[in-house]
Amino acid sequence: MQRYFAKETINMEYNLPKEMYKHAVKVMRMTEGDKFELVDDQGRVFLMEIISIKNNEAVAQKTEEITKNVELPINVTIACGISKGDKAEFIVQKATEMGVKKIIFFNGDYSVAKWDDKRQKKKIERLTKVAQSASEQSHRNIIPEIIYSSKLSNIDLEEYDTRVVAYEESAKKGEKSTLYQVLNNNVRDLIAIFGPEGGISPSEIEMLEQNDFKLAGLGPRIMRAETAPLYLLASISFAKELS
Amino acid sequence: MQRYFAKETINMEYNLPKEMYKHAVKVMRMTEGDKFELVDDQGRVFLMEIISIKNNEAVAQKTEEITKNVELPINVTIACGISKGDKAEFIVQKATEMGVKKIIFFNGDYSVAKWDDKRQKKKIERLTKVAQSASEQSHRNIIPEIIYSSKLSNIDLEEYDTRVVAYEESAKKGEKSTLYQVLNNNVRDLIAIFGPEGGISPSEIEMLEQNDFKLAGLGPRIMRAETAPLYLLASISFAKELS
């Protein structure tokens, strides 16, 4: 069933905002009596029924609350070095399907394509839309937040009790126990850092180690910059949601 | 370091074939004394040094064998229903990075875009190139085999001791122990089936169940057709390669 996200708390009746109206009525061709799922600003989900469509406006009515929660049991933030091309869109779409809570894009020391202040605004706006549409499609209870950081050291780390960095050099040396150990602990808020295509610089690694980051290998194969975050998220789901 | 795949057994000296010559000398601008890795037809890897370049030909010489093996400890085949667009290329590239052994594309009952005999030849040829280039990049010991099957029931299942199908209906019902149980067993050759965008048909599921397939959920979120295989491969690596 189609799922949408509302920016507000849902009362008994809900006037579909313009974008939602367009998608529901013009694209999905919903008519009176059709149902959809609506997530409110608190992450609560309601089954809604369209009760009237007229004059380019549609009104829906709450029919019941859907209590199913599909969020990962730990809050996962991924911070990815900015890479070339449309890799950021790819990361946002796939990581959203896999349950990420927040995605930070930062200009890495080795980023070939950097975002300046002007560019980042457009990028984040576009990526937020990608996150919303992927959240609708994968029936998330929240839309992941997409954030820009001009550099790695500017990321606010305070909220994270668990900090890992996916480091190719560790993987090359056969490091294979850190991720397991980390996920065996009681984790509430995890941040994982992924370098851009060029990797993470020695001074970035030094800074991360000073901030209690653990260097983790993600298996013996070399993954592209945009693939590694998906490996991590799938592993977290496997370790924490399956049994 | 650049890695290439040879179609034959490597003797002491190796004449780079045309495509490899073009990439190594024209694109990567290698010169005499430069080194690269070469995988032979047995999956053995050698460090090679270019000893001469003349008349559009390059000769390299074995310097040592690299014994590192980065293959998954179990042979994983994924069979994916054919979807629209360039999803097949995406699956091949990413699944190769994540260690897949073989990928089968089949026309599912619910496939919107089907491949006929003529189309499949071109597709498989193209996808084999994608697999080769991803194998070079992720430093695999083998290039995954890419195969076409006109329909799901035509896939030869004999070689697989372990058979799972990623089934959305199972995931919806909260099924979350099958994948764990499967990977706890002694698995040698695993095949996992993934539907096309439209999902797997009831008669396909029936056929699979009759052939000892287990219905597995891959977590509570709805993943796109091209994302689910990556979840599976990452989970297998996490369960079997990390500790």
Side-chain angles (χ1 to χ4, degrees), chain A residues 10 36-38 40 44-48 62 64-65:
Chain A
I10 310 299
F36 63 90
E37 295 171 1
L38 188 64
D40 75 3
R44 300 207 307 167
V45 189
F46 300 100
L47 188 64
M48 307 293 291
K62 254 187 209 176
E64 58 178 302
E65 184 166 353

Side-chain angles (χ1 to χ4, degrees), chain B residues 6-225:
Chain B
K7 290 193 171 61
E8 58 275 280
T9 308
I10 312 298
N11 298 314
M12 210 48 224
E13 290 195 355
Y14 179 74
N15 289 285
L16 278 65
K18 212 171 154 191
E19 286 273 302
M20 200 187 293
Y21 170 86
K22 253 163 86 180
H23 190 269
V25 177
K26 301 293 177 191
V27 180
M28 302 299 289
R29 293 167 191 252
M30 289 186 197
T31 55
E32 283 170 24
D34 281 346
K35 289 177 178 172
F36 63 90
E37 294 171 2
L38 188 63
V39 188
D40 74 5
D41 57 347
Q42 310 294 312
R44 300 207 309 168
V45 189
F46 300 99
L47 188 64
M48 307 293 291
E49 181 180 335
I50 296 182
I51 53 168
S52 89
I53 302 180
K54 54 184 171 196
N55 306 329
N56 289 323
E57 290 201 347
V59 180
Q61 184 178 276
K62 254 187 208 175
T63 66
E64 59 178 303
E65 184 167 352
I66 298 165
T67 52
K68 191 179 177 193
N69 188 317
V70 303
E71 296 304 314
L72 278 172
I74 60 183
N75 300 321
V76 182
T77 295
I78 59 173
C80 303
I82 289 164
S83 291
K84 281 181 300 182
D86 55 1
K87 287 187 162 56
E89 285 198 21
F90 169 86
I91 291 170
V92 169
Q93 185 188 72
K94 296 303 172 211
T96 297
E97 291 175 54
M98 288 196 178
V100 77
K101 181 86 181 289
K102 193 195 291 187
I103 306 176
I104 303 166
F105 289 100
F106 65 91
N107 291 314
D109 287 350
Y110 292 166
S111 285
V112 176
K114 304 204 180 196
W115 297 349
D116 56 23
D117 258 19
K118 196 179 149 194
R119 194 154 175 224
Q120 67 94 356
K121 269 190 203 128
K122 272 195 172 172
K123 285 275 186 185
I124 297 297
E125 213 174 290
R126 166 84 194 124
L127 293 170
T128 301
K129 278 190 185 153
V130 173
Q132 170 163 348
S133 133
S135 297
E136 288 170 1
Q137 193 143 16
S138 55
H139 282 212
R140 295 283 304 272
N141 290 66
I142 60 140
I143 301 169
E145 198 182 348
I146 316 294
I147 289 173
Y148 164 78
S149 175
S150 59
K151 56 183 186 174
L152 183 53
S153 55
N154 285 350
I155 296 174
D156 182 8
L157 297 170
E158 206 154 316
E159 63 186 283
Y160 305 107
D161 54 54
T162 307
R163 304 170 185 185
V164 296
V165 47
Y167 193 40
E168 209 169 83
E169 296 305 317
S170 300
K172 275 186 194 159
K173 284 176 196 142
E175 194 298 302
K176 56 180 186 176
S177 60
T178 301
L179 184 59
Y180 237 91
Q181 282 164 14
V182 160
L183 296 181
N184 259 337
N185 291 338
N186 222 339
V187 184
R188 206 187 55 232
D189 294 282
L190 179 144
I191 184 167
I193 310 284
F194 299 88
E197 285 158 322
I200 298 174
S201 77
S203 74
E204 284 172 327
I205 282 290
E206 198 184 328
M207 185 277 292
L208 292 171
E209 285 192 290
Q210 281 164 3
N211 282 284
D212 297 323
F213 274 81
K214 294 203 170 72
L215 278 46
L218 302 179
R221 288 164 300 283
I222 295 166
M223 286 181 285
R224 285 171 200 244

Side-chain angles (χ1 to χ4, degrees), chain A residues 68-72 90 93-94 96-100 133-134 137-140 171-173 175-181 183 217-228 230-243, chain B residues 68-72 90 93-94 96-100 133-134 137-140 171-173 175-181 183 217-228 230-243:
Chain A
K68 191 180 175 191
N69 187 316
V70 302
E71 296 303 315
L72 279 173
F90 169 86
Q93 185 189 74
K94 297 299 170 214
T96 298
E97 291 175 54
M98 287 196 179
V100 77
S133 133
Q137 192 142 17
S138 55
H139 282 213
R140 296 282 305 269
K172 274 187 196 160
K173 284 176 196 143
E175 195 297 303
K176 56 180 186 175
S177 61
T178 301
L179 184 60
Y180 237 91
Q181 282 164 15
L183 296 181
L218 301 179
R221 288 164 300 282
I222 296 166
M223 284 181 285
R224 286 169 199 244
E226 73 276 19
T227 313
L230 309 186
Y231 181 105
L232 178 90
L233 286 160
S235 296
I236 292 174
S237 167
F238 177 76
K240 297 286 185 185
E241 296 186 315
L242 305 188
S243 61
Chain B
K68 191 179 177 193
N69 188 317
V70 303
E71 296 304 314
L72 278 172
F90 169 86
Q93 185 188 72
K94 296 303 172 211
T96 297
E97 291 175 54
M98 288 196 178
V100 77
S133 133
Q137 193 143 16
S138 55
H139 282 212
R140 295 283 304 272
K172 275 186 194 159
K173 284 176 196 142
E175 194 298 302
K176 56 180 186 176
S177 60
T178 301
L179 184 59
Y180 237 91
Q181 282 164 14
L183 296 181
L218 302 179
R221 288 164 300 283
I222 295 166
M223 286 181 285
R224 285 171 200 244
E226 75 275 20
T227 313
L230 308 186
Y231 180 106
L232 177 90
L233 286 161
S235 296
I236 293 174
S237 167
F238 178 76
K240 297 288 185 184
E241 296 186 315
L242 305 188
S243 60

Side-chain angles (χ1 to χ4, degrees), chain A residues 159-174:
Chain A
E159 64 187 282
Y160 305 107
D161 54 52
T162 307
R163 304 170 185 184
V164 295
V165 47
Y167 193 39
E168 207 169 84
E169 296 305 317
S170 299
K172 274 187 196 160
K173 284 176 196 143

